[in-house]
Amino acid sequence: MNPLPEHVAIIMDGNGRWAAARGGRRGDGHRQGAEAVRRVVRAARELGIPVLTLYAFSAQNWQRPASEIADLMRLLHRFVIEERSELAARGIRLTTIGEPARLPAFVRGPLAALTEATRANRGMTLCLALSYGARESIVRAAQRLARAVATGRLRPEAIGEAQLAAALDTRALPPPDLVIRTSGEQRLSNFMLWEAAYAELYFTDVMWPDFGRDELLAALAAYGRRQRRFGRITESVA
Ligand code: FPP
């Protein structure tokens, strides 16, 4: 049995299909998706998961219809305002990866304020991936390293895995042990491509708005049964 993962990352998928199946608008699915976010944050905190990352808005999601982007931004804003006391009460630290600077000001402001206000919390880290793309993060890391080389602070030969990892958006987080994707889709969609090199992947047909504590427990149970070999053979792992 594996111990509890240190970092669980979730690709929240299926909001649109959940709404369509009920004759609703995509925004209804996102609204219920935000409720699932609240449930899962609470459950993860209670279960003692140190880091939870949620893929809330990808760099590619800017290509969605403006009305849907507006719905998602409103939900994010509401979450950041309404969860303030919850995060404080439960000792949850909020962080972000991606390019939150691209978000509209009415989201960016309260998001930055909540990030700052929860900085010292140690109960759990909740990381929201916002305007996030793994390739974009790798490109930013390459630019950072190139600047360091260009200014003589770094020798090209000194660049190894550790230096690249330390230049990614996720530099302050442990790599994800478990990546969950809901809604039956089985792909990473530009999420943590470097960091998830040895993550266990868990796919479920449950749509994100229906995801909650029980589904998280099922994913954790499956993770517990996996053998993580990191390239070694079974005998040397045992
Ligand atoms: C994927 O479903 C989901 C998203 C692109 C957005 C996720 C956003 C939320 C869960 C709500 C807001 C977030 C927070 C943190 C409050 P989809 O729309 O791609 O579903 P589909 O594949 O069925 O169309």
Side-chain angles (χ1 to χ4, degrees):
M1 274 290 279
N2 291 310
L4 204 62
E6 207 183 324
H7 183 178
V8 175
I10 309 184
I11 303 172
M12 308 182 288
D13 196 9
N15 294 351
R17 277 163 287 159
W18 183 92
R22 287 158 183 77
R25 295 173 51 251
R26 296 182 59 80
D28 301 331
H30 293 316
R31 203 161 40 251
Q32 287 310 309
E35 291 308 314
V37 167
R38 290 180 168 88
R39 286 196 297 274
V40 169
V41 169
R42 192 166 306 149
R45 173 70 182 95
E46 283 167 10
L47 293 167
I49 292 166
V51 183
L52 174 70
T53 296
L54 301 176
Y55 200 6
F57 194 83
S58 76
Q60 286 66 37
N61 284 156
W62 292 114
Q63 297 166 51
R64 293 196 175 196
S67 60
E68 181 170 349
I69 294 175
D71 279 346
L72 285 166
M73 294 302 140
R74 270 194 295 274
L75 285 169
L76 261 172
H77 173 254
R78 232 178 79 186
F79 180 82
V80 172
I81 300 294
E82 292 180 358
E83 295 306 294
R84 209 185 160 88
S85 53
E86 172 91 6
L87 298 195
R90 294 175 191 265
I92 299 173
R93 178 172 76 113
L94 181 72
T95 62
T96 56
I97 53 173
E99 292 190 283
R102 288 186 69 187
L103 302 178
F106 81 97
V107 181
R108 221 168 50 224
L111 180 68
L114 189 54
T115 302
E116 185 51 40
T118 61
R119 187 178 294 278
N121 291 350
R122 291 291 174 265
M124 181 176 89
T125 296
L126 169 63
C127 173
L128 295 182
L130 295 168
S131 191
Y132 172 81
R135 286 180 172 178
E136 287 80 352
S137 173
I138 292 169
V139 167
R140 282 192 288 277
Q143 290 175 346
R144 264 189 210 111
L145 296 176
R147 275 195 298 273
V149 168
T151 53
R153 287 175 288 129
L154 184 65
R155 285 178 306 111
E157 307 74 42
I159 299 175
E161 282 188 27
Q163 287 68 31
L164 197 112
L168 292 169
D169 292 4
T170 48
R171 57 190 162 275
L173 304 175
D177 302 293
L178 172 63
V179 174
I180 299 171
R181 184 171 188 148
T182 56
S183 89
E185 306 291 352
Q186 303 195 354
R187 54 178 174 265
L188 285 176
S189 298
N190 204 16
F191 184 64
M192 294 213 181
L193 298 181
W194 169 282
E195 299 87 338
Y198 286 99
E200 294 298 324
L201 307 181
Y202 178 85
F203 301 107
T204 170
D205 288 339
V206 173
M207 299 287 159
W208 177 251
D210 290 329
F211 199 91
R213 184 189 177 86
D214 289 349
E215 289 71 27
L216 180 62
L217 283 170
L220 292 172
Y223 170 83
R225 292 189 295 270
R226 304 270 179 94
Q227 188 189 52
R228 306 189 74 191
R229 289 196 292 277
F230 300 96
R232 291 170 294 170
I233 61 169
T234 298
E235 288 71 16
S236 58
V237 172

